[in-house]
Amino acid sequence: MNCLVTLPKENKILDLSLEKFRWKTEGRMDLVEDLFDDGLIFIHLTGHVTTKAEWIRQLRSRQFVHTKIEQKEASVKVYGNIAVLVGKAIFTVNGGNTDLFIRKKTINGSW
């Protein structure tokens, strides 16, 4: 991991970010949920936007499961009561899917 900033406040944020990744891979959604403000808007890699409630619901339902998260780089800058973390990580995610099959009326009744 390449950490550019090593001040005490910044280290606490970096540690918390690593904890968040561990919680996700361990399925500790209670801790992940408590970490984020209720006003969170989550933007997925696909550009799809969800609220915190929707995102947590997706995690809890195992719609997608983080099996491994490896942080590669991270840096933090603290501005008063706000901390901004920027970094890179490799996410291994198993996504679920739902298929809907409808049997249509055919001569032999096949799908």
Side-chain angles (χ1 to χ4, degrees):
M1 179 174 58
N2 179 15
C3 297
L4 302 176
V5 181
T6 58
L7 300 173
K9 290 178 186 176
E10 286 80 359
N11 280 341
K12 288 180 182 180
I13 299 299
L14 290 168
D15 290 345
L16 184 57
S17 179
L18 290 173
E19 283 292 295
K20 175 192 66 174
F21 289 160
R22 185 173 61 81
W23 297 337
K24 283 181 175 182
T25 59
E26 292 176 355
R28 297 294 312 271
M29 296 315 143
D30 55 329
L31 297 173
V32 175
E33 183 174 13
D34 288 343
L35 183 61
F36 293 99
D37 184 80
D38 289 340
L40 170 84
I41 299 296
F42 188 87
I43 303 171
H44 298 265
L45 292 174
T46 61
H48 180 73
V49 178
T50 58
T51 65
K52 174 187 172 183
E54 292 167 325
W55 181 59
I56 294 295
R57 194 168 30 257
Q58 290 171 340
L59 291 171
R60 286 187 192 279
S61 71
R62 302 179 60 80
Q63 184 174 342
F64 53 93
V65 177
H66 296 89
T67 56
K68 182 178 178 184
I69 304 173
E70 183 181 355
Q71 186 165 297
K72 293 296 189 181
E73 296 177 21
S75 64
V76 175
K77 180 67 178 162
V78 175
Y79 303 94
N81 291 329
I82 297 172
V84 178
L85 184 146
V86 178
K88 293 180 182 178
I90 297 173
F91 291 76
T92 303
V93 181
N94 292 327
N97 66 312
T98 302
D99 293 325
L100 175 64
F101 294 90
I102 301 172
R103 183 168 57 183
K104 294 185 176 183
K105 186 172 183 176
T106 62
I107 295 173
N108 64 3
S110 65
W111 288 87

